[in-house]
Amino acid sequence: MPLLPVLSLPALPLPILPLPLDRAGAVTLQEQIYQALKSRIVAGALPAGTRLAATREAARALGVSRNTVILAYERLASEGYVEVRAHAGAFVARLLLDPRPPPTTLPAPLQFEDDPPPAVNGPHLITRDATRPVFDLWYARPDPRLFPAAQWRRLGNAALGACAVGLSAYGPVGGDPRLRRAIATHIAVHRGIAVQPEQVVVTSGAQDALNLISRLFLTPGDRVVVEDPGYAAAAQVFEAHGARLHPVPVDAEGLDAAGVERLGPRLVYVTPARQFPTGARMSPARRTALLAACAACGSLIVEDDYDGEIVFDRPPPAALATGEGRERTLFVGSFSKTLGSGLRLGYMVVPLRFAAAAEATKSLMSYGQSWLDQQILAAFLEGGYYQRHLNRLRTAYRARRDAALAGLRHIFGDRLAVPATDGGLHLCCVLPDDGPDASSVAAAARAVGVGLHPAAECGVRGADATLARTLLVGFGALTPDELALAFTRIGQSLEARRAGN
């Protein structure tokens, strides 16, 4: 049925006339009719309720095809300038337009004596792009050139072509059911975590999950154990919710749980698959001890698996959320390191008894994530594309790790301490005692256009004195050739500084 049927009403003045048309111009006749009517409607020359001429009459009067008028009317209707009434015709719609011009200057902000201070005064770790050097060794930064753009585009087109109804409606707060099922299947196969889909809560990355966990489980004054050294952004979230932090040292075997039972914390935050920042993998003995200590004092474990899937020389380790830990562990996963932080999709897995409360609490924070992105990611997981992508990443990043290690060894020799090299997107490097500290090396690198970053600059919090001599060297965003050039520049800059002294 056509949009505008031929009307058998008495002839009325045509509101679109006079309407001069440029038949030799570059702008189509349809576009000219649309623009002319739109401008008159917005200006008020055609007030709300004005009936437009029937398409056949308008076409005859303007000397154009009826289809040209129909398409112009349809566009006006789709944009809300015209409304079509069955068996009556097309009428100018009532527009809620603000006639006031926009202000040319912004008012000064009002000042109040009781304005609250910022809750967190930590480093803004996600706003570096404006000052990022060409060769930047920023930690945990994946290479956008490795993003599976072609496959992502095909899956996106398929999702939109099937039915884009999800774009106009709120989805389930806990996440798209298809994506929750796909994540549950993936972590069961590749991480050994057997869960039901309703235990999976889709988030906007790991930081969103940590905020959700804090809302769900923390009250002011609760104790939270964190790793020392550890991830400052997680500590800041817990502090912002009123928690009292208790840093516990980590070593080559991960967090030492000896004092956890005595503290009786509400939460224990750990990165067991690849400790941040050292890269250490928690040993089986330490895992067993942590689970036993938390069971004895009733603590919950927050297991942040921030880059546990990027491994080179071994399979991903078993998660704490498996076996005996499944009823005591809140597992936090993210796609930021494997696909890209701009996707803003992650997830948390909670014991079944917390599933309803987690979803209800999430509704206080947001009404869910993008329907389209969730649909694409679900199809990416279901079709086996994600696993193939991981295999490709592991091969690419292994070569980049090797190039970074070679460059570091060439400059600093074997006295450079690199605790772990078997996964992730960065190397934790402790500089020799008899050379420049981390800030001095970073300054020398910056002087030749290379970003090299001390641990404190990368959001590492801890009391260890060696942090002043620690660099986090990210290798993910640069190719082996680019890394070789970057380390050549760093070596030359340090040599020039030594010669100058």
Side-chain angles (χ1 to χ4, degrees):
M1 180 177 179
L3 173 69
L4 298 172
V6 178
L7 303 176
S8 58
L9 297 176
L12 296 174
L14 296 179
I16 64 171
L17 298 178
L19 182 58
L21 298 177
D22 182 4
R23 302 178 188 276
V27 180
T28 65
L29 297 175
Q30 171 197 325
E31 179 71 18
Q32 292 181 56
I33 296 170
Y34 157 79
Q35 291 290 353
L37 285 173
K38 174 184 172 182
S39 63
R40 295 183 186 191
I41 292 171
V42 172
L46 294 177
T50 301
R51 174 185 175 274
L52 299 183
T55 56
R56 193 181 301 278
E57 296 171 2
R60 185 183 306 112
L62 294 172
V64 298
S65 72
R66 183 178 175 225
N67 193 53
T68 297
V69 178
I70 288 175
L71 292 174
Y73 278 21
E74 285 180 341
R75 184 174 173 188
L76 290 166
S78 70
E79 296 179 4
Y81 296 104
V82 168
E83 59 184 22
V84 179
R85 302 172 190 171
H87 310 298
F91 296 81
V92 176
R94 180 171 177 266
L95 301 180
L96 298 178
L97 299 176
D98 190 345
R100 294 171 295 181
T104 56
T105 59
L106 295 176
L110 299 177
Q111 300 294 325
F112 298 95
E113 292 184 1
D114 58 348
D115 277 349
V120 177
N121 292 313
H124 297 282
L125 302 179
I126 62 171
T127 57
R128 299 187 48 81
D129 286 336
T131 58
R132 196 182 297 280
V134 175
F135 295 118
D136 191 18
L137 304 176
W138 182 251
Y139 83 102
R141 182 175 168 227
D143 191 340
R145 293 170 291 189
L146 297 177
F147 182 78
Q151 186 61 53
W152 199 264
R153 187 182 303 112
R154 284 193 292 270
L155 295 174
N157 289 337
L160 288 170
C163 181
V165 65
L167 289 172
S168 60
Y170 290 114
V173 172
D176 183 84
R178 182 184 176 191
L179 179 57
R180 296 168 87 174
R181 289 193 301 270
I183 291 173
T185 300
H186 174 75
I187 61 176
V189 173
H190 298 284
R191 303 312 307 276
I193 306 174
V195 297
Q196 300 178 28
E198 55 264 37
Q199 294 177 247
V200 177
V201 180
V202 178
T203 65
S204 298
Q207 200 73 357
D208 188 35
L210 295 176
N211 272 287
L212 175 55
I213 289 169
S214 298
R215 273 181 171 267
L216 189 58
F217 295 106
L218 291 182
T219 57
D222 282 346
R223 294 186 179 95
V224 175
V225 164
V226 294
E227 298 169 319
D228 181 12
Y231 185 41
Q236 290 166 356
V237 170
F238 301 138
E239 286 177 328
H241 285 83
R244 292 182 293 163
L245 299 189
H246 293 269
V248 172
V250 297
D251 56 24
E253 294 187 72
L255 181 136
D256 185 353
V260 169
E261 186 175 348
R262 175 181 52 81
L263 288 170
R266 182 64 172 131
L267 300 176
V268 177
Y269 173 82
V270 288
T271 52
R274 181 173 151 77
Q275 199 276 330
F276 181 85
T278 66
R281 179 172 35 152
M282 186 178 285
S283 68
R286 290 280 177 87
R287 289 168 179 258
T288 300
L290 178 61
L291 289 171
C294 290
C297 62
S299 302
L300 293 172
I301 299 170
V302 181
E303 180 177 8
D304 189 346
D305 196 58
Y306 69 100
D307 66 357
E309 292 191 307
I310 301 177
V311 290
F312 309 136
D313 308 315
R314 56 172 173 81
L320 290 172
T322 62
E324 295 179 1
R326 66 182 181 278
E327 292 301 320
R328 192 163 299 283
T329 304
L330 310 166
F331 184 85
V332 176
S334 174
F335 298 97
S336 293
K337 307 301 182 293
T338 54
L339 288 170
S341 55
L343 184 61
R344 304 315 308 137
L345 281 177
Y347 60 93
M348 60 180 283
V349 178
V350 300
L352 189 59
R353 68 186 187 278
F354 297 134
E359 191 161 343
T361 303
K362 185 174 186 294
S363 70
L364 300 175
M365 300 170 57
S366 75
Y367 288 149
Q369 281 64 46
S370 159
W371 166 84
L372 181 58
D373 290 336
Q374 291 187 83
Q375 284 283 301
I376 298 173
L377 180 54
F380 198 69
L381 287 163
E382 292 168 348
Y385 304 113
Y386 183 67
Q387 188 56 45
R388 292 197 286 273
H389 175 66
L390 275 180
N391 295 338
R392 178 187 176 213
L393 289 185
R394 289 165 180 168
T395 299
Y397 290 144
R398 181 188 293 112
R400 298 176 188 208
R401 175 209 58 184
D402 292 345
L405 275 173
L408 288 164
R409 295 297 186 199
H410 181 74
I411 296 172
F412 300 106
D414 292 336
R415 291 181 301 119
L416 178 76
V418 186
T421 64
D422 58 356
L425 293 174
H426 76 270
L427 298 170
C428 182
C429 304
V430 182
L431 297 169
D433 291 335
D434 58 352
D437 63 12
S439 295
S440 299
V441 173
R446 175 70 69 167
V448 290
V450 179
L452 196 58
H453 307 281
E457 186 181 316
C458 299
V460 177
R461 178 186 289 196
D464 193 333
T466 63
L467 285 181
R469 310 191 65 77
T470 302
L471 295 165
L472 293 197
V473 181
F475 52 79
L478 302 178
T479 66
D481 288 344
E482 290 167 342
L483 286 164
L485 179 56
F487 283 109
T488 297
R489 290 187 179 186
I490 295 170
Q492 291 171 346
S493 181
L494 288 170
E495 187 62 34
R497 293 193 173 207
R498 283 193 292 267
N501 290 337

